[in-house]
Amino acid sequence: VNTSSTGSTTSNKVRTNLTIRVKKVDFDPESLQVRISGPNVEESKFVKLGAFHTLTLELGRNFSIEKECWDQIFLDRIEEACNLERGAEIAAIVMQTGLAHLCLVTGSITVTKARIDVTIPKKRTGSSNHAKALKKFYEAVYQAVLRHVDFGQIKCVLCGSPGYVKDDFFKYMMEECVKRDDRPIIENKKKFVLCKASSGHKHALEDIFSDASVVERMTETKLAKEVHALNSFMRMIDTHPDKAYYGYNHVAKANEELAIECLLITDELFRSSDLATRKKYVALVESVRENGGKTFMFSSLHVSGQQLNQLSGIAAILRYPLPDLEQLELDAAEYENESSSDSDSDDNANMNDGGMERVHEDMFDMGL
């Protein structure tokens, strides 16, 4: 900003590169933007040293990241994010009468692209308001599918609801796409999968992803492998609890026994503000991989990741059953106590034997 002698000001925009030490990170899942803020560490004629700035990172903008230590976990995630073939693989519609959510499910996040909420009046004899409102609702969902679903990239579209809402919508969509000659839907109608869901809210995606027939249709996607691993773990807790462990202490102990076949962990644990905590989980993941185990990293922005977070965020499926690790620790402690007590008794016995010998020697010297 330049100020003239008369007091008027003029301003102009200048493009410059900033180097900041990141103090805060905010992610907006709706706009897919990352906002970072921190002090400037390289002084220039436009920006003072130490001045705080907030930058927005988005698609199409070049930036560089410097870290003192790059763990293999983060390098793998960067490579995955830079793979152009990794994108939104699944579209999901959960609906009930008057309410629907259209979500795009990528390998690392579930994004709500549209929320449709239409008031549906009750059926009344001689009134067509119910049918008109229902048609308006289906039309809004239909337009959302056309607007947000890229069938060139999406491998399947999951449509779930309680009752017959999904069937009525699918019938309406097929009739309308033929009337309007909407080629994207006509040519990809085989990608639509009808399934059951408890409601039209986003959390109903759990019901869809737990359906075995749905998982079969998603076999080629990364999410399907994660969901299959989580469902296997949940079943294992009921059927073979000695082969399913969760919580860091129990999982780390199982890893020491080389017993982990599959490790399930959420990315939230790697974003801890405590460096020692982050390194602890990174070391565990690398150790499991070195021992031949598989690792599945769940996004905390997925329904499956949120479900795993309820179990401490880390779990493991074992190659072979282990008895209760707490019992093992108790047995080990008891064994140590017994060993120490045996050594104490031996010492006492040795002391007693030595004392008796000294008594006999004293009596011999006294002539007794």
Side-chain angles (χ1 to χ4, degrees):
V1 179
N2 299 321
T3 305
S4 66
S5 58
T6 60
S8 61
T9 59
T10 58
S11 62
N12 59 331
K13 293 183 179 180
V14 178
R15 294 182 64 87
T16 183
N17 293 328
L18 290 180
T19 303
I20 67 172
R21 185 179 302 278
V22 178
K23 296 292 186 181
K24 183 179 180 182
V25 179
D26 290 322
F27 175 63
D28 184 1
E30 299 298 329
S31 60
L32 297 180
Q33 292 181 340
V34 178
R35 298 181 184 89
I36 58 176
S37 59
N40 179 40
V41 296
E42 291 187 3
E43 188 174 9
S44 67
K45 64 178 183 179
F46 302 110
V47 182
K48 293 181 180 180
L49 185 67
F52 267 75
H53 279 269
T54 299
L55 306 178
T56 300
L57 307 181
E58 54 188 358
L59 292 175
R61 296 187 63 178
N62 295 329
F63 58 89
S64 301
I65 303 176
E66 297 180 7
K67 291 184 63 172
E68 295 180 359
C69 177
W70 286 95
D71 296 309
Q72 189 60 41
I73 302 297
F74 301 108
L75 295 176
D76 292 343
R77 300 209 72 181
I78 291 175
E79 181 181 356
E80 178 184 332
C82 294
N83 188 346
L84 296 178
E85 295 180 359
R86 301 265 185 183
E89 300 173 316
I90 302 169
I93 307 170
V94 285
M95 57 170 52
Q96 64 189 50
T97 303
L99 177 65
H101 284 81
L102 172 61
C103 304
L104 295 183
V105 185
T106 69
S108 58
I109 186 174
T110 301
V111 183
T112 302
K113 301 300 293 184
R115 182 180 188 276
I116 298 95
D117 191 356
V118 177
T119 303
I120 308 294
K122 294 182 179 180
K123 288 184 178 180
R124 287 185 173 84
T125 305
S127 174
S128 60
N129 292 336
H130 176 81
K132 290 179 180 179
L134 207 55
K135 183 177 180 180
K136 179 182 177 182
F137 171 65
Y138 290 153
E139 177 63 22
V141 179
Y142 180 86
Q143 293 298 327
V145 172
L146 288 176
R147 190 179 307 112
H148 298 293
V149 178
D150 181 5
F151 288 97
Q153 197 173 20
I154 295 296
K155 295 179 180 178
C156 70
V157 182
L158 308 176
C159 185
S161 75
Y164 296 97
V165 178
K166 61 184 181 300
D167 303 276
D168 294 340
F169 166 70
F170 185 73
K171 181 181 178 181
Y172 172 86
M173 183 172 58
M174 290 298 103
E175 292 175 353
E176 292 299 318
C177 72
V178 173
K179 291 178 183 178
R180 307 175 191 184
D181 195 27
D182 287 331
R183 304 307 301 177
I185 295 180
I186 295 175
E187 295 171 359
N188 295 279
K189 62 181 180 180
K190 292 183 178 180
K191 292 185 178 181
F192 285 85
V193 180
L194 303 183
C195 44
K196 294 182 180 180
S198 58
S199 70
H201 297 279
K202 186 178 177 180
H203 63 77
L205 289 172
E206 289 184 25
D207 306 327
I208 295 179
F209 293 145
S210 61
D211 190 336
S213 61
V214 173
V215 174
E216 289 180 4
R217 294 291 301 269
M218 303 189 303
T219 50
E220 299 179 359
T221 67
K222 174 179 178 288
L223 177 63
K225 299 175 183 177
E226 295 175 354
V227 171
H228 177 71
L230 183 60
N231 290 340
S232 299
F233 174 78
M234 292 300 184
R235 288 195 300 270
M236 198 78 70
I237 289 180
D238 294 331
T239 57
H240 301 286
D242 288 344
K243 293 180 65 177
Y245 284 94
Y246 60 90
Y248 176 80
N249 292 333
H250 287 80
V251 172
K253 190 69 176 179
N255 183 51
E256 293 177 4
E257 303 291 334
L258 305 181
I260 296 181
E261 180 179 7
C262 295
L263 177 68
L264 290 66
I265 188 168
T266 61
D267 58 359
E268 191 172 280
L269 298 176
F270 299 103
R271 293 199 294 267
S272 172
S273 58
D274 183 18
L275 180 60
T277 301
R278 293 202 305 268
K279 288 187 175 182
K280 177 176 70 173
Y281 286 106
V282 169
L284 178 60
V285 171
E286 292 177 348
S287 176
V288 170
R289 289 177 176 176
E290 290 174 359
N291 296 331
K294 298 179 181 178
T295 59
F296 295 93
M297 189 178 300
F298 291 73
S299 171
S300 56
L301 298 174
H302 271 317
V303 175
S304 55
Q306 295 167 2
Q307 192 174 0
L308 183 58
N309 270 332
Q310 297 174 0
L311 299 172
S312 76
I314 185 169
I317 299 175
L318 307 187
R319 295 188 177 97
Y320 50 85
L322 285 177
D324 190 359
L325 293 180
E326 293 182 358
Q327 185 62 41
L328 281 178
E329 294 171 358
L330 292 174
D331 293 343
E334 184 178 352
Y335 175 77
E336 291 178 358
N337 292 333
E338 290 178 355
S339 299
S340 60
S341 62
D342 290 342
S343 62
D344 291 341
S345 61
D346 292 340
D347 292 341
N348 292 332
N350 292 333
M351 291 178 63
N352 292 334
D353 293 341
M356 291 300 295
E357 290 178 0
R358 285 193 297 272
V359 170
H360 287 302
E361 290 177 357
D362 293 340
M363 292 175 66
F364 179 78
D365 293 337
M366 296 171 63
L368 298 175

